[in-house]
Amino acid sequence: MSAASAPVPSDSSATKTPPVTLTIAGSEATGGAGAQADLKTFQALGTYGMVALTCIVSLDPKADWAHRFVPVDAGVIADQLEAQFACYPVDAVKLGMLGTPVTIDTVADALGGLGQARPGHVVVDPVLICKGQEPGAALDTDNALKERILPLATFVTPNHFESMALSGMESIDSVDDLAEAARRIHDLCGAAVLAKGGVRLSGPDAVDVFYDGTTLEVLATPKVGEVAVNGAGCTLAAAVTAELAKGATPLEAARAAKNFVTRGIEARISSNAPFDAVRQV
């Protein structure tokens, strides 16, 4: 943009600044999950949303909708974060799919380098065993995430599989199991935890468990079908991020996010793929 075409700064005294939220995540081309779902969630919940893209994921309709994964260059990721943190005071940041150890190091270094300017809320949606990668590379990514990203988290939103992986539990078959996983993950990183059982547990309700070291609360709503909906986990974590940015407590954020994603699943969008997608309403 040339100097002549640059926008004229507005009178900041006349402008009400909304909370600022940032997602550091991958693009999911169909718009159902990833950064696209995060931005729609931020907008719906009244925050100013930004995204630093870490990778591009394209589902492959010729191979059972498997994930095709292309990482963004580490320097490009660093440039995005530099611009974002220099431009706005970020109230809350969500970390979604990072995808490679190099990306994880880049993001961890950027957040660590902010010092006291780092956002007070760092929500980690711990994408483990990244799809589209060889098992060895995925394991390296998982280990890097546990070592470098989890210590930065103030709130963690693992899904059913991730709850098992982080807690060291071989199975999670009941609400009590999910609660135990939430406790173990909190002990591991010190963050508030919203362990997502969703439709994975048997019974009439979609169940998630919140635990912050003091309060344990089971969040349950009637299941909307028995099949997971694309983008539900991303939307839940992004909603937590937005609510924290607006000043909610972690438990308040968890409750509000649960209600928001339930509405999104009820309003879900069907597609030609064998899954529906959350609609952020």
Side-chain angles (χ1 to χ4, degrees), residues 255-269:
R255 290 169 175 165
K258 176 73 169 177
N259 291 333
F260 181 80
V261 79
T262 299
R263 294 197 303 272
I265 293 171
E266 291 171 343
R268 64 194 182 276
I269 298 174

Side-chain angles (χ1 to χ4, degrees), residues 22 24 50-53 74-90 106-107 109-111 113-114:
L22 167 65
I24 306 174
M50 300 184 291
V51 56
L53 283 182
V76 175
I77 297 170
D79 288 347
Q80 293 175 82
L81 295 172
E82 180 185 34
Q84 289 159 339
F85 286 116
C87 195
Y88 296 108
V90 178
T106 301
V107 172
D109 289 345
L111 291 176
L114 293 172

Side-chain angles (χ1 to χ4, degrees), residues 182-280:
R183 291 188 186 94
R184 293 190 187 189
I185 296 168
H186 170 78
D187 290 344
L188 176 68
C189 64
V193 179
L194 183 58
K196 299 176 290 190
V199 297
R200 305 294 182 187
L201 301 182
S202 61
D205 291 336
V207 178
D208 307 318
V209 172
F210 173 87
Y211 182 67
D212 64 358
T214 302
T215 300
L216 188 146
E217 183 165 321
V218 176
L219 306 178
T221 58
K223 289 179 179 176
V224 183
E226 293 288 340
V227 179
V229 176
N230 190 33
C234 300
T235 299
L236 185 71
V240 167
T241 306
E243 294 298 334
L244 291 172
K246 294 189 293 185
T249 67
L251 180 55
E252 290 169 343
R255 290 169 175 165
K258 176 73 169 177
N259 291 333
F260 181 80
V261 79
T262 299
R263 294 197 303 272
I265 293 171
E266 291 171 343
R268 64 194 182 276
I269 298 174
S270 60
S271 72
N272 293 325
F275 50 77
D276 298 334
V278 171
R279 183 182 175 204
Q280 291 79 9

